[in-house]
Amino acid sequence: MLTYKAPIADIKFLLEDVFNYYDHYKKYEEFEEATPDLVDAILQECAKFCENELLPLYQSGDKEGCHYDNGKVTTPKGFKAAYQQYIDGGWSSLSHSLEYGGQGLPPSLGMVQSELTGTANWSWAMYPGLSHGAMNTITTHGNDKQKELYLTRLIQGTWTGTMCLTEAQCGTDLGQVTTKAEPNGDGTYNITGTKIFISAGDHDLTDNIIHIVLARLPDAPKGTRGISLFIVPKIKTDQDGTLGEANNVTCGSIEDKMGIKASATAVINFDNAVGTLIGPENKGLECMFTFMNTARIGTALQGVCAAELAFQNSLIYAKERLSMRSLTGKKYPDQVADPIIVHPDVRKMLMTQKVISEGGRAMIYYTAKIVDDISMAKTEAERQAADDRLGFITPILKAFLTELGTESANHGLQIFGGHGYIKEWGMEQIVRDVRISTLYEGTTGIQALDLLGRKILMTRGKSLNDFSKEVLGFCKNKSLISSNPHKRQMNRFIWPLGKAIANWQQYSIRLALKAKSNRDIVGSASVDFLMYSGYIVMAYFWAQMAQSAYEKLAGDVENRDFYRAKIKSAEFYFERMLPRTKSLAKTMMTDPKSIMQLDQELMSFL
Ligand SMILES: Cc1cc2nc3c(=O)[nH]c(=O)nc-3n(C[C@H](O)[C@H](O)[C@H](O)COP(=O)(O)OP(=O)(O)OC[C@H]3O[C@@H](n4cnc5c(N)ncnc54)[C@H](O)[C@@H]3O)c2cc1C
């Protein structure tokens, strides 16, 4: 059986010491209620809900899966009751607009809440998770009537939402979408087409489901410039929300898949279903992009959640499982063997898991502050500046953290030995469940092209330079370092970090120059470049965490072991993880010739 305890001490360390969240909240009048007391109370209550209600449904939900019967989907036992508790606890409305019934707390707190629910039970968390995507779209692009009707109920949680983009022929290349939207002349449209792989596309948690659908108007331009966005409810309603007749939206089937089995992944057929346009005509993809970054951070979080759950359970097991003796002599002579945690290889896996989950959490919480800034921007210039920062960091978070989350889950399975492969222990489920995170919301390959192509080469490195300035500012900040009695120790993080930043800039310039003569270098280097970038970004946060830990230790603080452990973890990160950049640098700078030269007909002789 898996266990889970919300890592409250680590969360508070990030909120209070590393990222100064309470000063950040004070910048905005709207967030004045987000005080340490309130946030602590939220953390405690959310932890209880996740540990006691959601975690027990994680393995049973996987075993039972969702049921499909004649167009209706039923979620596994206990899911509906847990969802009702979630609504009753006010969790769905936490960080949404006061105007439409939300509690108006910062989006960053919603992210913290999502981490806890997602770690306890990712499949369950996907139902409210998809709703948040729909809410963000309607908040940003919906008109007053749409907000009044749909947003209020999504915020209450009485209805849930979906994102219907993918069709059988296209997931990445949405320019190929063929779903049609015919105007009815009364402001409504008839939507016809089939969407596949729709998470939370059908279920029994709520009476109505609000689909956000990409479709083409008649005579729309081909490709991505001819796609519009529509709201299509499963059940038609009056403007006051009273449910009416069914809306020609049917669930054709649900997928039998590798993991997240308790999350319904549905084929949804729209057959002249009535919907309304959201945002301007033919700007559907642009509208989607405005919240895509936040949705991608939500998926990046899945990597951290899996890393945390795998780490917590591996650590317990590694302390209990006895096998052979330590190479440096018996550590527990009164037992038949030493616990496997004494073995360097097992420790290396555990430490890797630890730095991935804590470093990943830091990356997410840093980014969550930027999301707050966007939501509170008073001018277009402010919004754009924050959006540029978010746009740069998002592909790194999404791809790097999901790849590392997958690595951590695999280490977890390995630490359990053969038992890791057996369902009862739950470790193989974490591996299966996290695997999707590198695929949906844009694959690792697509995030990598976005980073290197759009965010670096197309901006001539501006966003990288801006981020580098921030990191170098941290490295050079004399007062920060000299006020620290542990200045010398901090230097072992600061120097390699500064050097890594300089290399990162140089390599991107060299890649830009190479790409001028051979565009394939962008595609052959991009994933290595993204992972390379990820290790440097995570190093920045490990250095910050070490800095904060030293500052705490310089004072009269309780729980000194917590801060000492942080510094030792940072040491591990810099010695064992950051050097991975060296091999990535080598491969990303290598000419694509050996990748491209072999004729596809000669790849196999079967
Ligand atoms: C469990 C699950 C839940 C999902 N939930 C949703 C949902 O709620 N809503 C929704 O709309 N969709 C959803 N999806 C769909 C998901 O987002 C897509 O599967 C994903 O975007 C990839 O698209 P694809 O499957 O069509 O792969 P393809 O686009 O066919 O890609 C295949 C491979 O080719 C690579 N590739 C493609 N184009 C390029 C290129 N130009 N350069 C380099 N490499 C390239 C990709 O990286 C990938 O490795 C879900 C999928 C699954 C499996």
Side-chain angles (χ1 to χ4, degrees), residues 140-195:
T140 316
H141 300 290
N143 59 35
D144 289 346
K145 260 175 110 175
Q146 288 169 329
K147 287 183 184 168
E148 196 59 52
L149 175 57
Y150 299 113
L151 192 56
T152 39
R153 282 151 189 100
L154 288 168
I155 287 176
Q156 281 164 6
T158 45
W159 298 348
T160 62
T162 73
M163 303 306 306
C164 296
L165 287 63
T166 304
E167 298 182 5
Q169 72 286 1
C170 63
T172 302
D173 185 5
L174 293 169
Q176 295 183 46
V177 158
T178 59
T179 296
K180 290 195 191 94
E182 297 276 349
N184 289 324
D186 61 355
T188 66
Y189 297 79
N190 276 1
I191 312 291
T192 302
T194 295
K195 297 285 177 179

Side-chain angles (χ1 to χ4, degrees), residues 163 165-166 171-172 197-199 265 436 439-441 443 446 449:
M163 303 306 306
L165 287 63
T166 304
T172 302
F197 294 162
I198 304 310
S199 300
T265 308
I436 183 62
L439 297 166
Y440 55 19
E441 282 298 335
T443 61
I446 295 305
L449 283 177

Side-chain angles (χ1 to χ4, degrees), residues 37 64 70 74 237 294 304 375 480 518 523 531 535 567 591:
D37 284 349
E64 184 185 338
N70 203 16
T74 313
T237 69
T294 6
V304 178
S375 75
L480 193 76
N518 182 359
M531 295 303 287
Y535 285 112
I567 292 163
D591 190 275

Side-chain angles (χ1 to χ4, degrees), residues 343-360:
H343 304 307
D345 182 53
V346 173
R347 281 189 149 267
K348 191 170 70 185
M349 290 191 275
L350 285 167
M351 287 303 295
T352 303
Q353 291 182 302
K354 181 172 167 59
V355 296
I356 291 173
S357 65
E358 293 175 16

